[in-house]
Amino acid sequence: MPSDARLAGRLDPASTVLLTVECQRGVVGPDSALPELAEEARGSGALANVARLVAAAHHAGVQVLHAVAERRPDGRGASRNARLFRAAERLPVRQTTGSPAVRIADPIPVSAGDLVVRRLHGLSPIAGTEVDALLRNFGCRTLVVTGVSANVAIPNAVFDAVNLGYTAVVPADAIAGVPADYTPALVRHTLALVATVTRTDDVLACWRRPPGTR
């Protein structure tokens, strides 16, 4: 892990954006379409850590983006070119536009300054969405990636961020996937090669520092 000074330098609130990935009720809420993933996100403390990071970002003036995956009621525009997409069509809970399933899950706080970016297709919260343009307009240099799942969307987000020239920071205790032992393996053998891996408390410590000491 980077030193406190190096991490603080990368997490300057003026050039950092916090991204939450698929932290929506229909994915990590009590009525999730994916109960095993929801249980892991909650039981591991990952969802609570996402909530802590969002609250701290609000206090520190860090821009927050919430990436939500959803589909139209008629399914138009939805991807069907992978087994995952076809399986999602058979789940009892649908991530339908405008439904409670696509609202940000408790206990994550949402402020008026947060932006919610919704996608109808694909696997990535960045590729094919407006996230890159928004990040550039915010003057973002560092993207903090949190949420689910470590199996698919999180590595997609990290790879896309790095390919687009951003520094990716991943608080390893604020992401979750299934099975439980898959996430640390992904972090160690894949994400650590391309992102700055840290922990929630270390990010919070950086954002609590007075501006002149970051």
Side-chain angles (χ1 to χ4, degrees), residues 39-59:
E39 182 178 352
E40 177 60 25
R42 292 178 173 275
S44 67
L47 190 63
N49 284 331
V50 174
R52 294 171 64 209
L53 287 163
V54 171
H58 292 161
H59 187 264

Side-chain angles (χ1 to χ4, degrees), residues 29-100:
D31 298 321
S32 170
L34 303 164
E36 185 182 2
L37 177 59
E39 182 178 352
E40 177 60 25
R42 292 178 173 275
S44 67
L47 190 63
N49 284 331
V50 174
R52 294 171 64 209
L53 287 163
V54 171
H58 292 161
H59 187 264
V62 174
Q63 179 64 50
V64 177
L65 292 182
H66 302 284
V68 171
E70 60 182 49
R71 57 185 290 127
R72 287 168 49 106
D74 61 9
R76 292 178 67 84
S79 299
R80 294 182 175 85
N81 59 333
R83 177 182 174 188
L84 177 65
F85 303 130
R86 296 191 294 272
E89 293 179 350
R90 299 191 295 270
L91 293 174
V93 177
R94 299 291 186 92
Q95 314 300 319
T96 307
T97 301
S99 72

